[in-house]
Amino acid sequence: PTNFSEPNDTISTAIDVALSADNSEVSLTETFEFQIGNRYQNDDGSFSYVDYSEDVDFYEFELQAADVVAVDIDSNIVENPVLNNLQLNPFSDFPVLNIYDSEGNLLDYSQARPGPGELFTSFDSYLEFEAPEDGKYYLGLSVFRNGLTGREATFPETGVNLAYDPFEAGSGSADNFGTAFSEYELNIA
């Protein structure tokens, strides 16, 4: 894919990663840093900006029934010569991978499930998803506090909803709780 630009934080603005039999592996590096382009114009002509901690990055791919897609994200690893160059970044939230259908139904998710060879080295997420039918599927990528599964997920002390709406831009609420990871490497196969 050549166009990775904001906004891409809803299903309708998802970036097509062009996954296919001829292009079976896609790797990209992106960030959750604030970008001036991640904005939406309001009815009165003003703009609403999506903060880095509210941001969700959506990626689209088409699958046939029984196709399996593997998604691996690396974001929390920093260099440390003592631990085989792997150490958790203590100042970073960890990523959540959510898979949706075109209706916005949550089909699968991964929260701090490490990928092959990453056990005990990372809170990064890995997911293998088998398509139940032919169609377009959407990967929603967000920080943990913004991507808890189920729209009923709330933070007990405040009642703040921790889940974003895949159709509403800037609907996440992670900015109330701390830092977000910034740069990430995403691999889809």
Side-chain angles (χ1 to χ4, degrees), residues 6-11 13 38 40 50 55-58 166 168-170:
E6 296 287 359
N8 67 332
D9 57 348
T10 63
I11 284 177
T13 59
N38 198 2
Y40 294 87
V50 178
D55 192 18
V56 177
D57 286 347
F58 269 94
E168 184 180 339

Side-chain angles (χ1 to χ4, degrees), residues 3-96:
N3 181 18
F4 291 105
S5 62
E6 296 287 359
N8 67 332
D9 57 348
T10 63
I11 284 177
S12 64
T13 59
I15 294 172
D16 185 351
V17 295
L19 198 63
S20 67
D22 295 330
N23 187 37
S24 62
E25 295 182 18
V26 175
S27 293
L28 57 103
T29 301
E30 274 299 311
T31 70
F32 276 117
E33 293 174 350
F34 175 75
Q35 296 180 20
I36 195 71
N38 198 2
R39 64 183 180 185
Y40 294 87
Q41 189 164 14
N42 302 314
D43 292 338
D44 65 1
S46 65
F47 288 94
S48 292
Y49 294 90
V50 178
D51 183 82
Y52 74 97
S53 61
E54 300 167 323
D55 192 18
V56 177
D57 286 347
F58 269 94
Y59 300 99
E60 172 187 319
F61 40 84
E62 193 159 345
L63 300 173
Q64 303 299 314
D67 280 353
V68 175
V69 65
V71 181
D72 183 41
I73 184 168
D74 295 311
S75 68
N76 280 317
I77 298 175
V78 295
E79 289 187 23
N80 182 329
V82 176
L83 297 174
N84 272 341
N85 292 329
L86 298 177
Q87 177 185 347
L88 293 178
N89 179 347
F91 303 107
S92 180
D93 209 336
F94 58 89
V96 174

Side-chain angles (χ1 to χ4, degrees), residues 154-187:
T154 56
F155 193 67
E157 287 88 25
T158 64
V160 172
N161 186 354
L162 296 179
Y164 61 84
D165 183 330
F167 295 108
E168 184 180 339
S171 63
S173 56
D175 58 334
N176 295 316
F177 302 103
T179 62
F181 64 88
S182 179
E183 185 173 281
Y184 61 86
E185 181 180 306
L186 182 65
N187 298 293

Side-chain angles (χ1 to χ4, degrees), residues 97-100 105-110 113 127-130 149:
L97 307 172
N98 290 336
I99 301 282
Y100 297 92
N105 297 308
L106 180 66
L107 303 177
D108 204 353
Y109 67 94
S110 177
R113 278 192 269 170
L127 175 66
E128 288 185 15
F129 170 74
E130 183 175 342
T149 57

Side-chain angles (χ1 to χ4, degrees), residues 133-151:
E133 59 188 18
D134 295 359
K136 290 186 178 182
Y137 293 90
Y138 301 86
L139 169 66
L141 175 58
S142 69
V143 298
F144 171 73
R145 296 175 185 121
N146 190 14
L148 292 177
T149 57
R151 291 183 180 84

